[in-house]
Amino acid sequence: MKTLYIGSTEPYAGKGWVTLALGLKLKEKGLKLGYFRPVGTIPIKVKDFTTDEDAVYLNRTLNLGLDEKLLSPVLLTGEIITNAMSGKTPLQNLTQTIKDAFQKISQNKDLVLVGGAGAFLITGSALGLSGLRVAQMLEAKILLLTRYTPNIIDEISTVAERLNTSLIGLIINAIPQEKLNYVRNMTVPYLSGKKINVLGTVPYDRILGSLTVGEVTENLNSEIITGENKTSDLIEHFLVGAMTVESAMKYFQMTTDKAVITGGDRSDIQLAALDTPTTCLILTGNLKPSQEVLNKAKGKSVPIILVKADTLTTVEKVDQLVGKLPVRAEKKVSQANKLFDQYVDFSRICSALGV
């Protein structure tokens, strides 16, 4: 049985979509696959127990049929950290809990994918359960992801020098289009010279970075008052309508797949947005739109989201969401698989794992 730990140098680097796409390819190959997320970060109630949301999603989407009580034995909550610091929960107990659950998950499997949490060297460290420690505990090979930054060489080197032969390779994700040639012609050869195998160079993708109407509605604690059947539609751009209609129209006409954030009392901006390709309106201040706006939105099947917060607060909340929600929407999952096929070297991953 082989074990592959999928970690990243920082949070939100793309572990979720890479794990999903890799899992689908491995299943197509005919492998008996398992999945394990030893340290969970998104608690979710399932029947009479609590586990990790990402782990449940991957188990069900990959149709693995695993016991969901075992998927994520340690949930990284404030309570568990406090208990560990106070001595109520000895750290060795957490380690043993992970080992016991993994032993059961891995029975009769060819390969188990282990999903990392947050940043590889940092997240879970207070409990002695950083990605590095967990990977060593499970005797796993490691696939590392990183988002492109100007300091990428330093960030990768800091992690890689502590992994020795356990690191099978690296995937560089979310590379700006204008940096792709530099990464492929300079960064990749340099890392190869340091014996760090780069197994994928993935450009930034707006679809993966997008949010659905439903995700926006849920995370802004808001209400959708039209277009309730459009919650799966993707929003790739967010524009703020806080200027004159004449100024706004120039940007509205240039931008598709957009949401316009504006005050609920700005009927002029709302109507202007509805005259251009707009995915949804996000109206702030808990102010309902005019009947004219409602009628036009309904006629065009454009969702209107009503938010209690002011425009500035809403924009800040949206900025915190972009690129940080799990890949769930069907269109995003499909795009993830296309990106994996096009930009990640699956055959080299399999060769490194011996599968």
Side-chain angles (χ1 to χ4, degrees):
M1 193 276 298
K2 308 292 176 63
T3 307
L4 178 65
Y5 186 102
I6 301 173
S8 63
T9 56
E10 70 279 284
Y12 312 115
K15 294 186 293 292
W17 76 258
V18 167
T19 303
L20 175 60
L22 176 59
L24 289 169
K25 296 282 287 185
L26 290 166
K27 286 204 72 178
E28 288 176 7
K29 195 176 171 70
L31 294 180
K32 295 178 182 176
L33 192 67
Y35 178 77
F36 188 54
R37 196 161 197 244
V39 180
T41 56
I42 313 174
I44 184 175
K45 191 80 171 178
V46 178
K47 298 178 182 177
D48 60 343
F49 62 93
T50 303
T51 186
D52 179 78
E53 182 180 316
D54 281 352
V56 171
Y57 173 77
L58 280 161
N59 181 44
R60 296 178 183 181
T61 304
L62 294 173
N63 196 28
L64 300 178
L66 300 170
D67 183 348
E68 293 181 342
K69 287 184 179 179
L70 300 173
L71 287 178
S72 192
V74 176
L75 294 171
L76 203 59
T77 63
E79 180 182 4
I80 198 168
I81 292 173
T82 300
N83 287 343
M85 291 173 64
S86 66
K88 290 182 181 179
T89 304
L91 297 184
Q92 60 266 32
N93 288 7
L94 298 177
T95 300
Q96 193 59 50
T97 297
I98 288 174
K99 288 181 176 178
D100 291 345
F102 180 73
Q103 192 274 329
K104 293 174 183 175
I105 284 283
S106 60
Q107 284 182 359
N108 303 315
K109 299 294 186 295
D110 297 319
L111 173 67
V112 176
L113 300 179
V114 180
F120 184 71
L121 293 179
I122 299 172
T123 306
S125 294
L127 304 177
L129 297 174
S130 68
L132 177 60
R133 290 289 297 277
V134 171
Q136 291 171 338
M137 181 197 315
L138 302 179
E139 299 180 355
K141 294 291 187 181
I142 298 165
L143 174 64
L144 198 64
L145 275 80
T146 188
R147 289 178 68 90
Y148 174 84
T149 73
N151 301 318
I152 189 170
I153 295 293
D154 288 338
E155 293 170 359
I156 294 166
S157 299
T158 299
V159 179
E161 66 186 11
R162 302 181 64 175
L163 300 182
N164 300 317
T165 58
S166 59
L167 178 66
I168 69 164
L170 173 77
I171 295 174
I172 305 174
N173 187 31
I175 307 169
Q177 197 66 39
E178 66 273 16
K179 295 293 184 181
L180 268 175
N181 285 338
Y182 179 84
V183 169
R184 289 170 178 167
N185 297 326
M186 296 294 293
T187 306
V188 171
Y190 176 83
L191 291 172
S192 296
K194 298 286 186 180
K195 297 184 179 180
I196 300 172
N197 297 318
V198 180
L199 301 175
T201 52
V202 185
Y204 175 77
D205 186 81
R206 283 203 167 274
I207 293 178
L208 284 194
S210 67
L211 301 174
T212 67
V213 172
E215 288 171 338
V216 171
T217 303
E218 180 181 352
N219 285 278
L220 293 182
N221 296 317
S222 53
E223 175 188 4
I224 184 166
I225 59 174
T226 65
E228 293 87 346
N229 62 333
K230 294 284 188 173
T231 54
S232 62
D233 286 3
L234 296 182
I235 304 166
E236 296 184 22
H237 308 274
F238 291 87
L239 301 183
V240 181
M243 65 285 277
T244 65
V245 172
E246 291 74 20
S247 298
M249 277 301 289
K250 178 174 66 174
Y251 297 102
F252 291 172
Q253 290 169 339
M254 291 169 52
T255 312
T256 59
D257 302 311
K258 66 179 177 291
V260 174
I261 305 172
T262 191
D265 56 351
R266 290 296 306 269
S267 295
D268 54 344
I269 291 289
Q270 297 158 26
L271 290 168
L274 290 170
D275 282 333
T276 65
T278 297
T279 301
C280 81
L281 295 177
I282 301 174
L283 307 187
T284 62
N286 204 31
L287 298 170
K288 290 188 177 180
S290 68
Q291 194 60 50
E292 182 182 6
V293 171
L294 279 171
N295 291 341
K296 193 164 190 174
K298 288 178 181 177
K300 295 196 167 194
S301 298
V302 174
I304 294 178
I305 299 172
L306 203 61
V307 183
K308 292 180 181 179
D310 59 51
T311 299
L312 178 59
T313 302
T314 300
V315 171
E316 290 173 346
K317 287 183 177 179
V318 167
D319 282 344
Q320 292 168 6
L321 294 175
V322 174
K324 295 181 180 178
L325 293 183
V327 172
R328 296 283 190 272
E330 185 176 342
K331 187 176 179 182
K332 292 171 75 170
V333 170
S334 175
Q335 184 70 359
N337 289 326
K338 290 177 183 176
L339 290 171
F340 189 93
D341 286 343
Q342 188 169 356
Y343 298 110
V344 178
D345 196 332
F346 177 65
S347 63
R348 286 178 68 195
I349 293 175
C350 291
S351 177
L353 292 172
V355 297

